[in-house]
Amino acid sequence: MNYNVDEKGYYGEFGGAFIPEMLYPNVENLRQQYLKIMAEPSFKKEFDQLLKDYVGRPSPLYFAKRLSEKYNTKVYLKREDLNHTGAHKVNNTIGQILMAKRLGKSRIIAETGAGQHGVATATVCALMGMECIVYMGEIDIARQAPNVARMKMLGAEVRPAKSGSRTLKDATNEAIRDWINNPVDTHYIIGSAIGPHPYPDMVTRFQSIISEEIKWQLKEKEGRENPDYVVACIGGGSNAAGTFYHFLHEKEVGIIAVEAAGLGVDSGESAATSVLGKMGIIHGCKTLLMQTTDGQITEPYSISAGLDYPGVGPMHAHLYKTGRAEFIAVTDDEAMQAGMVLSKLEGIIPAIESSHAFAILETRKFQPEEVVVFNLSGRGDKDLDTYIKYFKL
Ligand SMILES: Cc1ncc(COP(=O)(O)O)c(C=O)c1O
């Protein structure tokens, strides 16, 4: 079984490029160029250098002693929260800004939910002196205010998406509309492992630095490269794709993907896409998608802005369908409690997205000698307001 993208841009039956004709030249040019550009020694050198000196990689692989004691298993945290800008998103934006430069583009657009991808995009645009426009749902603008301020300080223009649920899906629609109107000078930096081929594969490759590092770091700490499990939360699926990438074909490594159940999988207020989704097309790719019987997209819900997306990247749809990955849905309440546990036991306040991953420790039992690596995708600073309200701090 192949879990990587095939030459036609598919992961099994999922993926492809379903785009308006106006965008075809852009996406086709990217498809033809991306692997060649990524393989150029000068590209690799610049990418590696920026990851090291600007982002601060490698991010530590930290043995969480007190968490391990509480749950009676060996818990490691991959500290993407320590990256510059506070999440894994910057790995991808560094890669894509270098790609955009080599494609001769001067204007950057992006969508954002939690604001982490928007901040990471505004950051690399400031670094490279490029114009930056970030689309963000009105609701997300309200619940992620610190990140909106950061984007503005970094010189980006934040444009509100006012349609639909006024969250990530709607911001993505606006960004695609912009790209259709500005196809020549603009590169669209998609922030997750979604979108038309080659985006899911390109984003996954930029994020795969996470699992590349886990391998050698675990070898140093445990004497073996492969953990028993890797665990990550899934919005569109970029931090998970990067965490899983180098383990996809290592049969002894269990893969666990954690989705947002919101108020409960069957509550009608959820973002548990794999369980609730059916095959459909969203934002340029064929994947599992929450929809009504006549194919209208269902509005997703999660307390976490980065996870309330009605679809999941095509790679993850394939991992779900083939049974390669175990999918677990975690409610708002379970995630919030897990965020508190991590804060109290390890002195690390996680992003609410990442808290979802840790919540499985309450229900999914692991053996005492098993090594379980959690991707700590981001830090909780941006979510302080939500934590304050929830816990009445
Ligand atoms: C900290 C953090 N983790 C996870 C996610 C979810 O995105 P993805 O599934 O692409 O990793 C986000 C999205 O904004 C995020 O900010």
Side-chain angles (χ1 to χ4, degrees):
M1 182 69 76
N2 174 30
Y3 299 108
N4 288 324
V5 78
D6 66 22
E7 63 286 354
K8 295 203 175 95
Y10 278 82
Y11 300 82
E13 56 194 312
F14 304 102
F18 299 83
I19 44 169
E21 208 177 309
M22 297 279 287
L23 287 182
Y24 182 77
N26 267 356
V27 174
E28 179 56 16
N29 184 35
L30 185 63
R31 188 188 69 78
Q32 286 179 13
Q33 301 288 336
Y34 83 110
L35 290 176
K36 271 190 236 158
I37 291 177
M38 284 175 76
E40 281 170 11
S42 65
F43 181 93
K44 280 180 137 165
K45 191 168 169 224
E46 207 177 346
F47 182 58
D48 291 348
Q49 191 91 49
L50 284 170
L51 287 187
K52 180 167 176 276
D53 296 337
Y54 190 72
V55 174
R57 303 202 71 90
S59 67
L61 182 69
Y62 165 70
F63 176 64
K65 187 162 171 287
R66 299 190 69 207
L67 209 59
S68 298
E69 280 165 10
K70 177 170 166 67
Y71 294 107
N72 199 23
T73 190
K74 287 176 142 180
V75 178
Y76 280 88
L77 314 183
K78 181 59 174 159
R79 299 290 310 271
E80 294 299 298
D81 61 317
L82 293 179
N83 291 344
H84 178 46
T85 71
H88 66 293
K89 296 284 181 187
V90 72
N91 303 324
N92 169 48
T93 59
I94 293 269
Q96 284 205 50
I97 200 85
L98 297 179
M99 182 69 63
K101 266 177 45 178
R102 280 160 177 80
L103 293 171
K105 308 287 181 179
S106 58
R107 179 177 179 269
I108 297 296
I109 55 170
E111 84 297 332
T112 196
Q116 285 303 120
H117 173 59
V119 168
T121 303
T123 298
V124 296
C125 286
L127 181 69
M128 298 294 170
M130 295 238 226
E131 184 185 352
C132 180
I133 289 140
V134 180
Y135 290 92
M136 188 169 187
E138 258 187 345
I139 298 262
D140 292 336
I141 287 182
R143 64 178 163 176
Q144 302 289 334
N147 272 346
V148 176
R150 289 163 83 196
M151 284 184 264
K152 288 183 178 165
M153 235 180 128
L154 293 160
E157 182 190 339
V158 181
R159 291 192 188 162
K162 300 180 179 183
S163 62
S165 57
R166 293 174 292 150
T167 59
L168 181 58
K169 156 179 80 64
D170 314 287
T172 308
N173 288 338
E174 293 295 334
I176 291 173
R177 206 163 292 150
D178 180 313
W179 208 20
I180 290 171
N181 290 328
N182 300 284
V184 179
D185 63 343
T186 299
H187 176 70
Y188 178 14
I189 300 192
I190 295 184
S192 195
I194 50 170
H197 178 66
Y199 276 100
D201 185 49
M202 180 172 68
V203 174
T204 298
R205 284 169 188 265
F206 288 141
Q207 291 292 359
S208 71
I209 184 72
I210 299 173
S211 47
E212 191 183 312
E213 288 175 3
I214 291 173
K215 278 198 166 247
W216 64 258
Q217 289 173 321
L218 203 62
K219 177 91 181 160
E220 276 180 11
K221 290 182 195 298
E222 290 283 335
R224 56 172 160 129
E225 285 192 337
N226 288 348
D228 295 291
Y229 292 93
V230 279
V231 187
C233 67
I234 294 211
S238 69
N239 88 89
T243 305
F244 302 164
Y245 188 76
H246 288 283
F247 302 114
L248 288 171
H249 297 96
E250 307 277 3
K251 286 204 188 82
E252 71 270 29
V253 182
I255 293 177
I256 302 180
V258 185
E259 292 185 314
L263 301 184
V265 172
D266 300 319
S267 67
E269 298 287 329
S270 174
T273 315
S274 63
V275 194
L276 298 171
K278 292 191 198 63
M279 176 83 93
I281 290 173
I282 184 169
H283 300 140
C285 72
K286 197 193 274 187
T287 190
L288 289 173
L289 173 63
M290 297 192 334
Q291 52 191 299
T292 61
T293 43
D294 51 1
Q296 290 301 311
I297 293 172
T298 310
E299 298 297 350
Y301 164 78
S302 164
I303 194 168
S304 130
L307 301 187
D308 76 359
Y309 186 69
V312 66
M315 178 177 125
H316 300 297
H318 185 52
L319 293 178
Y320 177 76
K321 209 57 191 279
T322 55
R324 173 67 184 97
E326 185 181 339
F327 278 68
I328 300 176
V330 158
T331 64
D332 287 358
D333 290 335
E334 291 168 330
M336 296 304 276
Q337 295 302 337
M340 192 55 108
V341 169
L342 188 66
S343 305
K344 291 264 158 65
L345 285 187
E346 297 290 345
I348 299 171
I349 302 174
I352 298 175
E353 289 81 7
S354 320
S355 297
H356 282 73
F358 294 104
I360 71 160
L361 283 165
E362 287 289 330
T363 50
R364 173 70 168 77
K365 292 292 166 234
F366 298 97
Q367 298 303 313
E369 69 286 356
E370 282 178 334
V371 170
V372 188
V373 176
F374 285 82
N375 193 40
L376 177 41
S377 56
R379 65 178 86 129
D381 306 26
K382 71 182 174 60
D383 294 318
L384 222 49
D385 215 36
T386 311
Y387 280 127
I388 289 168
K389 286 196 184 106
Y390 186 89
F391 291 108
K392 303 188 173 53
L393 299 171

